Amino acid sequence: QVRVVESGGGLVQPGGSLRLSCAASRSIFAIYAMGWYRQAPGKEREMVATIASGDITNYADSVKGRFTISRDNAKNTVYLQMNSLKPEDTAVYYCKVIMFSSDNYWGQGTQVTVSS
């Protein structure tokens, strides 16, 4: 079992920035990939950004150029730096951990609200 804990959500004005953190309870070297997903009210959960072994990153088109995913191997933590935030970025953001064993684990989610 892997414990996944997100933090860093909150309320921000349009154009502002937030950084989300996702800490895993297992060594990051046992993890194939970690990613951020989001779910807005009435919508399906969607992929925002992922980072896989070898630091291969992938972004949703809607966040390219504004969001950056990165990881700190020493802290078993992945970050999502979100800049130029828009009201449509408002959602609950979830972190997903995918192990080399193919098991995957979700965090509890953190709310991001972009509003003036």
Side-chain angles (χ1 to χ4, degrees):
Q1 193 73 12
V2 177
R3 187 163 175 252
V4 182
V5 180
E6 304 109 331
S7 61
L11 172 64
V12 63
Q13 292 186 342
S17 298
L18 280 176
R19 189 177 80 153
L20 305 183
S21 300
C22 172
S25 63
R26 290 278 300 276
S27 169
I28 204 163
F29 296 106
I31 295 170
Y32 168 68
M34 295 177 72
W36 288 97
Y37 295 72
R38 66 187 181 188
Q39 188 166 18
K43 295 188 176 181
E44 293 188 354
R45 191 171 297 187
E46 62 175 1
M47 186 276 292
V48 176
T50 61
I51 184 165
S53 181
D55 286 341
I56 299 170
T57 58
N58 187 37
Y59 295 92
D61 288 343
S62 59
V63 307
K64 282 181 181 176
R66 300 188 298 123
F67 291 10
T68 302
I69 190 169
S70 62
R71 66 185 194 180
D72 184 333
N73 293 337
K75 297 181 178 180
N76 300 333
T77 299
V78 168
Y79 303 98
L80 184 68
Q81 178 66 43
M82 305 186 293
N83 299 327
S84 302
L85 282 161
K86 305 175 181 180
E88 51 264 42
D89 294 317
T90 296
V92 178
Y93 283 70
Y94 297 91
C95 181
K96 181 179 180 180
V97 173
I98 304 171
M99 310 300 289
F100 279 104
S101 65
S102 298
D103 292 335
N104 59 81
Y105 303 90
W106 291 93
Q108 80 287 353
T110 185
Q111 176 70 46
V112 171
T113 302
V114 184
S115 175
S116 55

